[in-house]
Amino acid sequence: MNKVFHKTYEPFESELDNFIENFDVLGEDFGNQERNSLKLFQLGDETINVKSFKVPHLINQIAYRFFRKSKAQRSFEYANTLKDLNIGTPHPVAYYEFKTPFLFKKSYYISEQIDCDYTYRELTTDFNIPNYDAILRAFTRFTFDLHENGVHFLDHSPGNTLIKKTEKGYDFYLVDLNRMEFKDLDFETRIKNFSKLTIHKSMVEVMSDEYAKCSGEDYNAIFNLMWYETEAFQEKYHRKRRLKRKLKFWKTY
């Protein structure tokens, strides 16, 4: 077993070991995903979030064992990088990896739990949220700040930004961090980064308007590209779903 802790959590090593070793029987299920499991645990006065990554397929077991960093390690390291950039994300606690001499098996990423008021997803389904326009514009400014800091969040999708009301406005926190790039972003990459967020043209219009104000770029150029990339992503997404349904149908015969 390989494990790495944030320095503030090193004194809790034995408690964290127990959570990982008994993950299947301890903790409270929390928003489990299709491929991975999430659980909440109480660590002293704090609640922590443990994400268990599914054992990868054989090729990736070899790749993660010898050539690539695991999803858990990347999540931990990227969280620390975001913290250094003063970008919101749940505070990283630790990551654990289980390996054999030749294969990579399970891994876990642990972070502090944040009780949020919304995720971005709620903005796509409830247009009556109080201060809706202000939240969407603040989210767009948050994304602009990501881009200005050279953060390309590849999973910038509806469930991966937590929104918390504060006295000064709204704070945003990125989750599901294992796919990121850190580099200077050109205009097309920045705008394409919005493509997975919504199917609603009205939201794209607002985000385009606010991004234009932040960047100084032309609104029409931003909107036309953002809407084009949004439609292209939706078409690709639904094409994949249709293909999966066909494959599932033929497997029954």
Side-chain angles (χ1 to χ4, degrees), residues 109-157:
Y109 171 58
I110 309 174
S111 61
E112 293 179 0
Q113 174 68 8
I114 289 181
D115 293 323
C116 63
D117 295 289
Y118 313 106
T119 68
Y120 183 93
R121 188 181 305 282
E122 276 80 74
L123 299 182
T124 69
T125 59
D126 184 359
F127 295 97
N128 295 313
I129 291 174
N131 299 315
Y132 181 93
D133 186 76
I135 299 173
L136 185 56
R137 289 181 181 275
F139 168 82
T140 306
R141 294 192 296 272
F142 171 72
T143 301
F144 176 76
D145 288 340
L146 291 181
H147 297 162
E148 287 292 283
N149 279 283
V151 178
H152 187 202
F153 185 29
L154 298 173
D155 285 324
H156 204 27
S157 54

Side-chain angles (χ1 to χ4, degrees), residues 155-171:
D155 285 324
H156 204 27
S157 54
N160 290 342
T161 300
L162 313 181
I163 305 171
K164 190 169 185 177
K165 291 187 284 188
T166 70
E167 292 182 356
K168 296 181 179 180
Y170 299 91
D171 288 341

Side-chain angles (χ1 to χ4, degrees), residues 38-126:
L38 298 172
K39 282 193 172 184
L40 301 182
F41 294 83
Q42 202 64 31
L43 185 66
D45 295 332
E46 292 186 27
T47 302
I48 61 169
N49 185 312
V50 181
K51 183 170 186 176
S52 169
F53 291 97
K54 187 176 181 180
V55 176
H57 59 69
L58 182 59
I59 293 175
N60 276 345
Q61 287 185 50
I62 298 170
Y64 288 140
R65 179 64 182 85
F66 296 106
F67 307 111
R68 296 180 60 195
K69 293 180 179 180
S70 70
K71 292 181 179 181
Q73 181 179 355
R74 295 200 308 267
S75 297
F76 180 81
E77 292 179 353
Y78 294 165
N80 280 294
T81 300
L82 293 178
K83 285 295 197 181
D84 290 341
L85 294 170
N86 293 315
I87 293 170
T89 194
H91 189 76
V93 173
Y95 72 89
Y96 285 68
E97 298 174 328
F98 292 84
K99 308 172 183 178
T100 70
F102 300 104
L103 296 174
F104 184 93
K105 295 300 181 180
K106 287 194 72 81
S107 62
Y108 300 82
Y109 171 58
I110 309 174
S111 61
E112 293 179 0
Q113 174 68 8
I114 289 181
D115 293 323
C116 63
D117 295 289
Y118 313 106
T119 68
Y120 183 93
R121 188 181 305 282
E122 276 80 74
L123 299 182
T124 69
T125 59
D126 184 359

Side-chain angles (χ1 to χ4, degrees), residues 240-253:
K240 280 186 176 180
R241 289 192 56 144
R242 290 193 296 269
L243 179 59
K244 285 183 179 179
R245 284 197 295 267
K246 288 180 180 178
L247 291 173
K248 188 176 180 180
F249 172 81
W250 286 110
K251 284 181 180 178
T252 60
Y253 287 90

